[in-house]
Amino acid sequence: MTSSLKNLGNAEPALRANQHVIVVKLPIKAGCEDFFLARMAPVVEASRLEPGVLIYQLHRGTKDASEFVTYGLFTDHNAFEQHLNSAHVSNWLAGSSAWLAAPMVVSHYALHDAA
């Protein structure tokens, strides 16, 4: 595994039909990017330790430095619900109006077997 792929979470080598993917678009207020990153770092770290989290990654826009996306792969929808109700996510959400420029956009995905 390359160093850039280490510590993504408890990733398994194969996708399973019941796994649940969440992509969250986070538009951050201009000038609040460092503030956001400082508050997001412990959330990412704690999320990666959750038993139902296979991958949890934060991405930053390459053209717009105030645009962020989280990608989460969960063992199932219940694991996502547990993540959403965790203390670290609840605390982060409670303060999110300080750095969000607009509402988050949350998209849910399930495995699609194109074969």
Side-chain angles (χ1 to χ4, degrees), residues 16-45:
R16 307 232 187 321
N18 62 333
Q19 290 175 345
H20 198 77
V21 170
I22 302 294
V23 176
V24 181
K25 293 183 181 181
L26 301 155
I28 304 304
K29 293 176 183 174
C32 291
E33 296 87 356
D34 291 340
F35 182 74
F36 162 76
L37 287 168
R39 274 123 193 100
M40 193 65 187
V43 173
V44 171
E45 184 178 334

Side-chain angles (χ1 to χ4, degrees), residues 46-112:
S47 298
R48 289 176 177 169
L49 297 175
E50 294 175 36
V53 176
L54 301 174
I55 297 173
Y56 194 85
Q57 190 64 34
L58 176 66
H59 302 274
R60 189 173 197 169
T62 57
K63 293 183 180 178
D64 181 352
S66 64
E67 181 180 276
F68 292 83
V69 173
T70 60
Y71 171 87
L73 175 61
F74 300 85
T75 54
D76 54 27
H77 186 75
N78 186 52
F80 167 69
E81 291 293 332
Q82 289 177 353
H83 166 73
L84 194 58
N85 293 313
S86 67
H88 54 273
V89 171
S90 295
N91 291 337
W92 185 91
L93 287 169
S96 64
S97 64
W99 53 80
L100 285 175
M104 296 179 286
V105 177
V106 181
S107 299
H108 298 253
Y109 300 90
L111 179 65
H112 174 73

